[in-house]
C-alpha cells in the first residue's frame, strides 16, 4: 500500500482533489432547494464536464457538443459528428476539447486565445485538446444502433464528469422541462459562451437511428451532442435540430430538437 501511494505524484493528487471537490460542491447544492443555483454551479465549473468533439478529415473539420460521463474520460456525443459530408466518408481522427482555464486537467494540447467581444475587451481564454478514440460496438460507430457516439479520451484522468439521472431507462412525460447544455459557438475555437436553457418534451420522432423524443426550446446550429439534463443530471443527448429553408435567407430554426435517452446501466457494459 505504501509503495503504491508513493508512485502518485503531487500533480496527480491535485487533479484528483480538484475533480472530487467539484463533484462534491455540486452534490451539496440540492436541485429541489435551489434549481437556478444548481445550474449556476454547473455553468461556472472550470473545468466543466461539457466538451466539444472534433472530427477531422483531409480538408475539413466537424465539431459538435459532448459530455464527459466517467472520471476515466468517456465522452457521450452524437455519432454523426464523425460523418464528413463533403468528403463522403467517416473520420477516424478525433479530439476532445475543454474550454476554460483547465485547472486540474491532465496535460493536453493547450491553445490560448485573446479576442474582443462587444461586452468584453481583451478576453483571454484557453482550449485544452486531447486525442480520442470512437468506441465501436458490434463493429458500428453508432452506439446500440442510435445516433450516439461513445468516445474515450487518450489521456490518464481523472476528468470532471456528469452523473446520469437514472441507473435504468428513465420514463418521461409530455410537458416535462429539461435543460439543454451547449456551447453557443462550438465552431469558433475557444469561445467560452455556454448555455443551459430549458426545453419542453412535446412528442416523439421515428428516425433512421430509432425512436427519439422531441423537445421545444432554444438551440444553436452546432448544438447536436449537447447534454439534456433532468434535475441537473444527464438524461439525454441531443441528436438533431429542425429547420426550414427560406429562399434568400437560408436555414431558419424551428425551435424543435430531437434527443435520445441515456442511462447509466446502458453505458456500464461498454466502458
Amino acid at each position: 500500500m505504501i509503495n503504491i501511494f508513493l508512485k502518485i505524484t503531487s500533480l496527480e493528487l491535485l487533479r484528483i482533489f480538484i475533480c472530487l471537490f467539484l463533484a462534491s460542491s455540486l452534490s451539496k447544492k440540492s436541485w429541489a432547494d435551489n434549481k437556478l443555483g444548481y445550474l449556476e454551479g454547473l455553468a461556472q465549473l472550470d473545468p466543466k464536464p461539457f466538451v466539444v468533439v472534433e472530427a477531422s478529415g483531409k480538408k475539413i473539420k466537424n465539431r459538435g457538443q459532448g459530455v464527459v460521463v466517467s472520471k476515466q474520460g468517456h465522452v457521450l456525443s452524437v455519432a454523426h459528428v464523425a460523418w464528413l459530408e463533403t468528403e463522403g466518408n467517416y473520420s477516424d481522427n478525433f479530439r476532445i476539447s475543454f474550454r476554460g482555464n483547465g485547472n486540474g486537467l491532465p496535460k493536453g494540447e493547450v491553445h490560448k486565445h485573446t479576442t474582443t467581444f462587444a461586452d468584453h475587451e481583451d478576453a483571454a481564454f484557453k482550449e485544452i485538446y486531447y486525442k480520442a478514440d470512437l468506441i465501436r460496438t458490434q463493429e458500428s460507430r453508432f452506439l446500440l444502433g442510435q445516433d450516439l457516439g461513445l468516445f474515450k479520451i487518450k489521456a490518464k484522468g481523472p476528468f470532471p464528469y456528469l452523473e446520469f439521472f437514472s441507473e435504468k431507462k428513465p420514463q418521461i412525460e409530455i410537458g416535462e422541462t429539461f435543460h439543454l447544455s451547449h456551447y453557443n459557438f462550438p465552431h469558433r475555437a475557444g469561445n467560452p459562451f455556454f448555455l443551459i436553457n430549458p426545453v419542453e418534451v412535446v412528442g416523439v420522432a421515428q428516425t433512421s437511428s430509432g425512436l427519439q423524443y422531441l423537445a421545444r426550446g432554444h438551440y444553436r446550429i452546432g448544438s447536436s451532442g449537447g447534454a439534456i439534463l433532468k434535475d441537473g443530471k444527464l438524461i439525454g443527448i441531443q441528436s438533431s435540430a429542425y429547420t426550414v429553408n427560406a429562399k434568400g435567407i437560408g436555414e431558419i430554426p424551428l425551435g424543435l430538437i430531437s434527443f435520445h435517452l441515456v442511462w447509466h446501466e446502458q453505458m456500464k457494459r461498454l466502458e
Side-chain angles (χ1 to χ4, degrees), residues 55 62 78-84 89-92 94 134 141 151:
N62 280 348
V78 284
H80 77 247
V81 72
W83 175 246
L84 306 170
N89 55 36
Y90 288 98
S91 172
D92 288 313
F94 303 100
L134 176 57
R141 296 174 175 86
F151 297 83

Side-chain angles (χ1 to χ4, degrees), residues 51-90:
V51 296
V52 174
V53 179
E54 179 185 274
S56 296
K58 293 180 180 179
K59 297 181 179 179
I60 64 169
K61 296 180 186 294
N62 280 348
R63 290 188 180 95
Q65 314 282 335
V67 59
V68 185
V69 294
S70 78
K71 64 182 179 181
Q72 292 82 17
H74 292 90
V75 175
L76 265 180
S77 181
V78 284
H80 77 247
V81 72
W83 175 246
L84 306 170
E85 186 170 357
T86 59
E87 295 184 7
N89 55 36
Y90 288 98

Side-chain angles (χ1 to χ4, degrees), residues 31 40 42 48-49 56 69 71 85 109 116-117 133 153 164-165 173 192 216 232 236 247 251-252:
W31 173 263
E40 287 175 353
L42 274 178
K48 293 178 177 62
S56 296
V69 294
K71 64 182 179 181
E85 186 170 357
E109 181 183 339
T116 296
F117 298 104
D133 291 322
I153 297 174
F164 287 93
F165 171 77
E173 300 291 341
R216 179 172 54 214
K247 187 176 181 180
E251 287 189 306
I252 299 176

Side-chain angles (χ1 to χ4, degrees), residues 171-192:
Q171 301 297 315
I172 64 175
E173 300 291 341
I174 294 286
E176 281 195 82
T177 297
F178 298 154
H179 286 84
L180 171 63
S181 307
H182 54 119
Y183 288 96
N184 210 33
F185 299 100
H187 302 301
R188 296 183 185 177
N191 192 312

